[in-house]
């Protein structure tokens, strides 16, 4: 066989063999057999110098090319075998890096707690649109056209004449129309007011509406339910008291206070030494509102209440600025 042909044959066979190698020791013996001093290739290369000039040139060129190619193959395979070996040595019992996990926002957290409490009392959780019609936000709730709440100063109106709901009360009538009586629900949600913000006011905040309609519902039921859910959410016994208050959608209407949860009613600076904190609006559902909901006020009566969820959370966690809730400040959020 011509020397050039033989070198090419050596290369072909060496490449065929190397395909099957998967250990460092096999690689080493392969290297030795094809590239070692005693290999046929080395032997042929030593003989090249004795060839006639023309042949010498060609054979020398091919031989060097083959040698280099085989060396490159060996180097490449060596590093990939080393890599595989390293991976085998990874200690699978080594503790992993803890991934950063998110958690619920304090508003969601307490909202869910409230939902659980009310669900256990037989209340359903109802939702309603944030972009609301003037009818459900005002008219259906017996809020007359001249009422100051409708003022452009307080309400965000859309060009189309709808409003961003200013309270969760519109869900009352929507739910009455949907379910009829008897009915027990709470409706938590975002509400919007066109006003300047400070530590205790924001233009977006959260309310929870409550509604219970049945035969012979009275203020006594309202007080019992309020005491129950407030004691559970604050994890301490609280008392409530009612004072007369006016809201167009209830008659009679009340302001409901609860014992100051900071001093347990003894009197402190937070409750201005009275032992009481203003908490929510409530009352017996106005007959006109029941009628708007398609419920006969002769047959059924009900109570309703509405409170600021953010304020409840601020009391529960001693937070002093309502604007923190949607500040997006992780230092605040990480505390929950
Ligand atoms: N909607 C009232 C507000 O935004 C709160 C309220 C008061 C709700 C009395 C009620 C209620 O259901 O009976 O200030």
């Amino acid at each position: 066989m011509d020397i050039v042909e033989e070198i090419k044959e050596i290369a072909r066979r060496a490449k065929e063999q190397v395909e099957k190698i998967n250990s460092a020791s096999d690689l080493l013996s392969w290297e030795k057999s094809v590239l070692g001093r005693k290999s046929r290739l080395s032997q042929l290369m030593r003989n090249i110098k004795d060839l006639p000039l023309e042949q010498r040139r060609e054979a020398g060129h091919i031989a060097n090319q083959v040698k280099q190619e085989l060396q490159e193959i060996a180097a490449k395979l060596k590093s990939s075998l080393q890599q595989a070996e390293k991976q085998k040595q990874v200690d699978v019992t080594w503790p992993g890096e803890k991934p950063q996990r998110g958690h619920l926002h304090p508003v969601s957290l307490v909202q869910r707690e409230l939902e659980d409490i009310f669900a256990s009392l037989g209340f359903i959780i109802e939702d309603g649109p944030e972009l609301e019609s003037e009818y459900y936000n005002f008219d259906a709730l017996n809020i007359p056209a001249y009422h100051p709440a409708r003022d452009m100063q307080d309400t965000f109106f859309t060009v189309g004449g709808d409003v961003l709901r200013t309270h969760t009360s519109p869900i009352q009538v929507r739910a009455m129309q949907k379910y009829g009586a008897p009915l027990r629900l709470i409706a938590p949600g975002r509400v919007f007011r066109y006003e300047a913000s400070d530590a205790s006011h924001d233009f977006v905040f959260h309310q929870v509406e409550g509604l219970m309609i049945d035969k012979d519902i009275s203020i006594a039921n309202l007080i019992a339910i309020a005491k129950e859910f407030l004691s559970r959410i604050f994890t301490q016994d609280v008392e409530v008291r009612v004072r007369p208050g006016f809201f167009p959608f209830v008659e009679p209407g009340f302001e409901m206070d609860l014992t100051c949860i900071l001093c347990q009613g003894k009197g402190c600076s937070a409750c201005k030494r009275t032992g009481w904190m203003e908490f929510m609006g409530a009352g017996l559902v106005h007959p006109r509102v029941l009628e708007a909901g398609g419920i006969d006020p002769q047959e059924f009566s009900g109570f309703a209440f509405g409170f600021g969820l953010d304020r409840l959370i601020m009391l529960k966690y001693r937070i002093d600025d309502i604007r923190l809730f949607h500040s997006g400040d992780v230092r605040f959020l990480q505390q929950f």
Side-chain angles (χ1 to χ4, degrees), residues 166-167 169 172 193 207 209-210 247 249-250 281-283 304-306:
T166 58
H167 51 180
S169 302
Q172 285 189 31
R193 300 267 171 97
Q207 283 189 338
E209 195 75 14
F247 302 95
F249 30 93
V250 280
F305 61 78

Side-chain angles (χ1 to χ4, degrees), residues 1 21 24 68 71 86 96 120 130 194 201 218 230 296 302 332:
M1 200 188 319
I21 292 173
Q68 200 185 339
Q71 279 170 339
K86 243 192 225 158
S120 80
E130 292 180 345
Y194 184 39
H201 298 87
S218 72
L230 289 169
D296 182 0
F332 168 69

Side-chain angles (χ1 to χ4, degrees), residues 236-237 259-268 275 318:
Q236 56 179 271
D237 279 335
T259 38
C260 176
I261 56 130
L262 300 183
C263 63
Q264 279 75 40
K266 290 194 240 353
C268 68
R318 319 278 195 264

